[in-house]
């Protein structure tokens, strides 16, 4: 099984200052990754992801912020199975434990993919999420999403778009939601060097909060091109046909300030995912 480290990236951010480190290794069927974030002079978060791809299924497992002393941890596992050429069904389980609190949430997921559009639906005890993505052409993609939470009693609508300029080796993603959180990420390949520069900024108008940062990525010689998915996609969402599949474990619309910092980093992670075929029936 041939494999190698696919990339390493560092993000420097202000408000609050911090950095993100990301390492990834992939083989024929197995993929491993490690991500950590620092705030000021200490580690803030870190997580370990593993993914296994079969002929018609995908299984992933995530371990986040384990703390033996404080007895806290976050575990996420999900499984997706192709039941036909267009339809994929699966589920996700999230378990969290911290002092005086422990719980688990199970979510059912479905996605339907055609050559021009993708629809998704996630339903669980915590709420529901639906999305629709449409490929206008090879350069332009748009998408809309709806999310309702039974815990916070909130609903959010979002809109995202992606513009690819191949001749300039540039890719731009933008997003806007009903909470007036506006963001964008610009990616530029610094050919002929094996480097990619990405600039990102997100502003919450209601809370008057601004987060911005940049990343410089050193690409492995076997790494594929940047992905073509729209902003705000999740692990259990479908990916645009013919493009690389990516993983996102951060909600870009999270209301908490600290999660807003992670939101930018979640966007950066999507850039360098190696091109891999999805499950087939």
């Amino acid at each position: 099984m041939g494999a190698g480290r696919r990339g390493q990236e560092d993000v420097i951010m202000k408000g609050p200052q911090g950095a993100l480190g990301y390492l990834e290794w992939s083989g024929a069927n197995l993929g491993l990754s490690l991500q950590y974030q620092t705030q000021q002079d200490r580690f803030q978060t870190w997580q370990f992801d593993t993914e296994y791809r079969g002929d018609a299924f995908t299984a992933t497992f995530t371990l986040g912020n384990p703390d033996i002393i404080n007895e806290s941890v976050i575990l996420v596992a999900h499984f997706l199975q192709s039941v036909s050429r267009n339809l994929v069904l699966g589920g996700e389980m999230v378990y969290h434990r911290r002092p005086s609190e422990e719980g688990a949430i199970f979510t059912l997921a479905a996605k339907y993919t055609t050559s021009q559009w993708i629809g998704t639906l996630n339903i669980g005890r915590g709420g529901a999420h639906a999305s629709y993505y449409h490929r206008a052409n090879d350069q332009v993609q748009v998408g809309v999403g709806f999310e309702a939470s039974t815990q916070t009693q909130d609903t959010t609508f979002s809109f995202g778009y992606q513009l690819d300029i191949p001749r300039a080796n540039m890719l731009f993603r933008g997003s806007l939601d009903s909470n007036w959180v506006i963001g964008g990420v610009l990616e530029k390949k610094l050919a002929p060097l094996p480097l990619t520069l990405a600039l990102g900024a997100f502003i919450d108008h209601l809370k008057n909060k601004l987060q911005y940062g940049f990343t410089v990525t050193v690409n492995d010689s076997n790494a594929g091109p940047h992905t073509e998915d729209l902003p705000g996609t999740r692990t259990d969402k479908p990916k645009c046909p013919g493009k690389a599949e990516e993983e996102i474990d951060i909600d870009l619309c999270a209301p908490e300030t600290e999660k807003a910092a992670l939101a930018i980093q979640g966007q950066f992670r999507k850039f360098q995912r190696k091109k891999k075929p999805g499950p087939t029936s």
Side-chain angles (χ1 to χ4, degrees), residues 35-37 43-48 62-68 71-75 97 262:
Q35 175 185 332
Y36 63 89
Q37 181 198 7
F43 283 94
Q44 186 73 14
T45 62
W46 74 277
Q47 71 178 49
F48 173 78
T62 298
L63 174 66
N65 293 339
D67 190 333
I68 300 178
E71 297 183 351
S72 64
V73 69
I74 298 176
L75 302 176
R97 176 186 174 87
L262 289 175

Side-chain angles (χ1 to χ4, degrees), residues 8 35 181 192 209 219 267 281:
Q8 179 176 355
Q35 175 185 332
V181 177
K209 298 289 185 179
N219 300 310
Q267 284 283 7
S281 57

Side-chain angles (χ1 to χ4, degrees), residues 237-258:
K237 290 184 185 177
K239 308 301 181 288
C240 296
K243 300 297 180 178
E245 182 165 338
E246 59 184 302
E247 178 179 343
I248 291 295
D249 56 353
I250 304 297
D251 183 3
L252 298 179
C253 303
E256 298 85 351
T257 303
E258 62 273 16

